[in-house]
Amino acid sequence: MNRAVALRIAAFGLMGLGAALLIAALLLSTYTKGRISKIPLDIDTTLVSDGTGTVLDPASLLGERFVVDRNAPVAMQQQLSVEAPSNSDVVTLQVGDTLRRTDRQQDNGLLLAMVDTVTVDRKTALAVSSDTNPGGAVQKPRSIEDQNPPTNVALPHDGLAYRFPFDTEKKTYPFFDPIAQKAYDANYEGEEDVNGLNTYRFTQNVGYDGSGAEAKLDEPVKYASLYDNDEDSQVTARASLWGLEGDPDEQITMDRFYAAQRTFWVDPVSGTIVKAKEHGYHYYARDALKPEVTFADYTVTSNEDTVESQVASARAEGDTVGLWGRILPITFTVLGLVALVGGVLLGAFILRAEAALIDPGLDEAEHGFFGRRPDDSGPMPAAEAKTEKLPTQRPSDLPPDRPV
């Protein structure tokens, strides 16, 4: 193989490589990123939030009067894991929620407990349902000693659940509350740094109007009991137990109501909630807007270990998305353009070189056509001068005395 053929192959190879890299960059930024930007299937984490609250002493339920303690230390724990059905499109999250007084042991400190299961779209984080899967369920409460399998009660979910979508936008999202059993708006409030990670802050009101300490009860939710006899959503007890004036033996029935305020700090790339703050209010009353006996009025915030763990998880997911969705496409685009331009330049060089070999004069900028020099006024080289052909003498033209 001569040098010209090798250079021609190299030129076509560079142009082909450049085109391939540009196509790969396009596929990575569209198709591949869409397949990478999904909720992982290996979630298994525990989220803990600490705080204080005004809470009922469970031991007082068997006493002469319900006792409510102020400034009691409380902790909320969420255990997240993946269950079936989970595949390339959806993931089913099982979340065990507990709220307990940390100054009490075992059942004496347990205030709230719920096991919620929901199937969500792996990209949008929206709850999904099918004929065989209602999109969500909650377990009926069980005691610690109960060895029977848990019983699920179907609870169709809607909106987001436990995460926000990939590429979270600065807008309002519906976010499901399993206690209220419906979705409420989570409103975008601004950006905020959390352990070096830029996050979007969202707030949600359930039964409240306003924000912070100025929020007022607006439409509190009647607590939906998971017991067959609704024993924890409606309680009838003597007036003395409720701490009410009047006849101490009068039977008073009160309903349980619920309201909450939440703040989520969300990684906009992966949709991971890296930090959360929750103010929950459970109380008994005869009028929904006139609380009479507090069951739990608490405020908890993600502890530092949880925040660090969630930030690390969000960064890992974000790095993967960034690698396949931004870094590699940009790199392939630059390399593709360099290879394509290099191939074109090499091809142009080969054409000029071949043209110069065929006619050296073709490589001159002012080469004349039809063999004429651009300037005929100058002296002509001897090699190019025209010569006159002399006639040859015939024998009859020679002198007579000259022998032939």
Side-chain angles (χ1 to χ4, degrees), residues 127-187:
V128 295
S129 299
S130 65
D131 294 337
T132 58
N133 178 37
V138 290
Q139 288 184 10
K140 284 189 174 182
R142 297 186 303 161
S143 65
I144 295 178
E145 296 80 11
D146 191 351
Q147 300 299 320
N148 294 321
T151 302
N152 288 333
V153 179
L155 176 60
H157 290 51
D158 64 309
L160 304 178
Y162 302 105
R163 290 179 66 112
F164 280 71
F166 278 82
D167 298 323
T168 300
E169 300 179 35
K170 300 177 180 180
K171 67 177 188 179
T172 297
Y173 290 94
F175 197 91
F176 191 78
D177 185 316
I179 298 178
Q181 300 187 356
K182 63 180 293 187
Y184 291 82
D185 287 345
N187 301 302

Side-chain angles (χ1 to χ4, degrees), residues 308-324:
E308 290 180 359
S309 174
Q310 289 297 93
V311 167
S313 177
R315 288 189 186 278
E317 291 185 41
D319 289 344
T320 301
V321 173
L323 175 65
W324 292 95

Side-chain angles (χ1 to χ4, degrees), residues 83-87 89-93 117-121 126-138 152-157:
E83 304 291 333
S86 295
N87 51 46
D89 298 319
V90 300
V91 59
T92 298
L93 300 175
T117 303
V118 58
T119 301
V120 301
D121 185 282
L126 291 171
V128 295
S129 299
S130 65
D131 294 337
T132 58
N133 178 37
V138 290
N152 288 333
V153 179
L155 176 60
H157 290 51

Side-chain angles (χ1 to χ4, degrees), residues 15-33:
M15 287 187 285
L17 176 62
L21 288 172
L22 291 177
I23 294 174
L26 179 62
L27 291 176
L28 285 173
S29 61
T30 54
Y31 177 76
T32 303
K33 181 184 177 182

Side-chain angles (χ1 to χ4, degrees), residues 79-229:
Q79 175 66 49
L80 284 81
S81 60
V82 174
E83 304 291 333
S86 295
N87 51 46
S88 60
D89 298 319
V90 300
V91 59
T92 298
L93 300 175
Q94 186 176 83
V95 183
D97 278 296
T98 59
L99 178 72
R100 64 174 55 250
R101 294 181 58 162
T102 57
D103 60 347
R104 296 287 190 272
Q105 298 297 321
Q106 298 181 352
D107 281 355
N108 290 329
L110 185 62
L111 298 170
L112 301 169
M114 172 178 284
V115 178
D116 181 35
T117 303
V118 58
T119 301
V120 301
D121 185 282
R122 291 182 61 192
K123 183 171 179 61
T124 66
L126 291 171
V128 295
S129 299
S130 65
D131 294 337
T132 58
N133 178 37
V138 290
Q139 288 184 10
K140 284 189 174 182
R142 297 186 303 161
S143 65
I144 295 178
E145 296 80 11
D146 191 351
Q147 300 299 320
N148 294 321
T151 302
N152 288 333
V153 179
L155 176 60
H157 290 51
D158 64 309
L160 304 178
Y162 302 105
R163 290 179 66 112
F164 280 71
F166 278 82
D167 298 323
T168 300
E169 300 179 35
K170 300 177 180 180
K171 67 177 188 179
T172 297
Y173 290 94
F175 197 91
F176 191 78
D177 185 316
I179 298 178
Q181 300 187 356
K182 63 180 293 187
Y184 291 82
D185 287 345
N187 301 302
Y188 172 78
E189 297 290 341
E191 299 184 30
E192 192 170 325
D193 181 274
V194 176
N195 286 18
L197 180 71
N198 183 61
T199 65
Y200 291 173
R201 187 178 72 256
F202 293 85
T203 59
Q204 181 190 48
N205 278 341
V206 178
Y208 275 108
D209 182 23
S211 60
E214 298 180 356
K216 297 181 179 179
L217 287 173
D218 181 29
E219 296 181 3
V221 179
K222 190 177 186 304
Y223 189 81
S225 176
L226 298 178
Y227 290 98
D228 293 333
N229 56 1

